[in-house]
Amino acid sequence: MTVLTDDQKMLQETAANFLRDEGGPARQLRHWRDTGCSDGYGTDLWRQFGELGLNGICIPESHGGLGLGATEAALVLEEIGRNLTPSPFLTTAAAGVRAIEGTAHADRWFPEILSGEAVLALAVEEGKRHRPEATAMMATRQGNGFLLKGDKQFVVHGNSADMVLVIARTAGSAGERDGLTLFAVDKGANGLSVDTASMADSSKASRLSFDNVAVDADAVVGEVDGGWAPLSRALGAGRAGAAAELVGVAAGASDMTVDYLKQRKQFGRLIGEFQVLQHRAAHLYGEIEIARAAALKAAQALDSGDARADLWVSVAKARAVASAALAVQEGVQMHGGIGMTDEHDIGLYMKREAVLSELFGDERYHRARVAELSGY
């Protein structure tokens, strides 16, 4: 059982109250979807995140942040998931911050992230499935810099990001994780084209095409040919954060379903009185609690530098995907016909689960990774 400190409980309560009041579906997701917002989220809300200090959770105190970690970020992300709040918190304040920490890019971008003025994006995916180790995009040397050529897809917030973190291969090697370099590419770079589409949950993701995009040596994050280290930090934070957000999606869908069971009558009785539905609701509660414990364990492992952190992160992502899928499926089914309509929010949870489950690796990817890291 994971026990939160008093400070963590206070942070969780602050995030819960803020997002319940300002981040719910009617005020945010539906509004930006129905008005055709090109970003898919509210920039004013992102600045409010900054005003509350939430954007600085993973930023060191030396740079003006709170100097906390993945555990505190997970508490915020669970509330983001519970309220279906469209926000760049996961990709920017959790994953992006971890990628650039300790580099000159932190000095450049941390102040704007803290204030909610900047958004970062991760350009990792190239194929149909998540497999960062198989990066094929090339960065060839030119003078004291590089030319980036290739394509990336499923770049969340790629159209609105002020800076994109791009992983590319800079050297041939027998190991897939060797010879990779992470680059910080500014918005509007010459030769960079962006094709953006709305995903199932109305969030935005882009396909980025790099046609000999020139970057200088200062664009390198970390070391040349050593990009796996900052990328793995970002992926670890992103995967653990996505697990926590999925727990929030599951919890939000479950709460909505249980409330419906207590109100809807059939055959003269509340449907929540039928034992078979009670059993299904109880089973779902247990699955969500397991997923929540796994997500917090993964975050705490990252914060403590546990040698098995990668294992716990993949356990958490796989468990959270399964629990969230069960929660939204049960929710839509128990709501009956109304659950299939856009007027009811339960379907929005299913759409968010479908997108978030794929981000940073799906259940199959992480189950295989658990087996690999466990020595099976």
Side-chain angles (χ1 to χ4, degrees), residues 80-104:
I80 287 174
R82 187 188 304 273
N83 292 280
L84 298 179
T85 308
S87 164
F89 184 91
L90 175 59
T91 54
T92 299
V97 160
R98 288 287 285 143
I100 63 175
E101 66 181 16
T103 72

Side-chain angles (χ1 to χ4, degrees), residues 276-300:
V276 65
L277 296 185
Q278 292 176 356
H279 287 173
R280 286 164 62 178
H283 171 66
L284 177 58
Y285 174 83
E287 291 297 308
I288 294 173
E289 286 301 304
I290 293 171
R292 178 177 288 115
L296 286 174
K297 172 67 176 179
Q300 291 173 340

Side-chain angles (χ1 to χ4, degrees), residues 156-190:
V156 178
H157 305 309
N159 65 314
S160 52
D162 300 279
M163 186 266 278
V164 182
L165 291 161
V166 184
I167 191 71
R169 197 163 294 280
T170 43
S173 175
E176 288 184 325
R177 299 181 182 184
D178 299 325
L180 295 174
T181 302
L182 190 63
F183 296 93
V185 180
D186 288 345
K187 180 179 183 179
N190 290 333

Side-chain angles (χ1 to χ4, degrees), residues 318-353:
R319 287 296 311 178
V321 170
S323 296
L326 177 64
V328 298
Q329 289 164 9
E330 289 284 61
V332 170
Q333 187 177 56
M334 291 188 194
H335 275 82
I338 194 175
M340 299 299 293
T341 66
D342 183 66
E343 285 76 12
H344 202 286
D345 286 346
I346 190 64
L348 300 178
Y349 284 91
M350 176 171 278
K351 292 175 180 179
R352 181 57 181 158
E353 178 274 326

Side-chain angles (χ1 to χ4, degrees), residues 182-249:
L182 190 63
F183 296 93
V185 180
D186 288 345
K187 180 179 183 179
N190 290 333
L192 173 60
S193 60
V194 181
D195 179 21
T196 301
S198 293
M199 294 189 285
D201 63 346
S202 301
S203 62
K204 307 297 181 182
S206 303
R207 298 180 181 87
L208 305 185
S209 294
F210 296 79
D211 185 9
N212 289 323
V213 174
V215 295
D216 59 28
D218 292 339
V220 174
V221 178
E223 302 291 334
V224 175
D225 298 336
W228 187 256
L231 178 63
S232 62
R233 291 197 303 266
L235 291 177
R239 290 161 176 166
E245 188 172 343
L246 278 164
V247 170
V249 170

Side-chain angles (χ1 to χ4, degrees), residues 7-21 52-54 75-76 79:
D7 287 343
Q8 289 170 339
K9 291 177 182 177
M10 186 179 302
L11 172 64
Q12 185 179 45
E13 183 178 354
T14 298
N17 291 337
F18 166 59
L19 291 168
R20 183 178 58 248
D21 294 341
L52 285 174
L54 300 180
L75 299 177
V76 175
E79 297 306 321

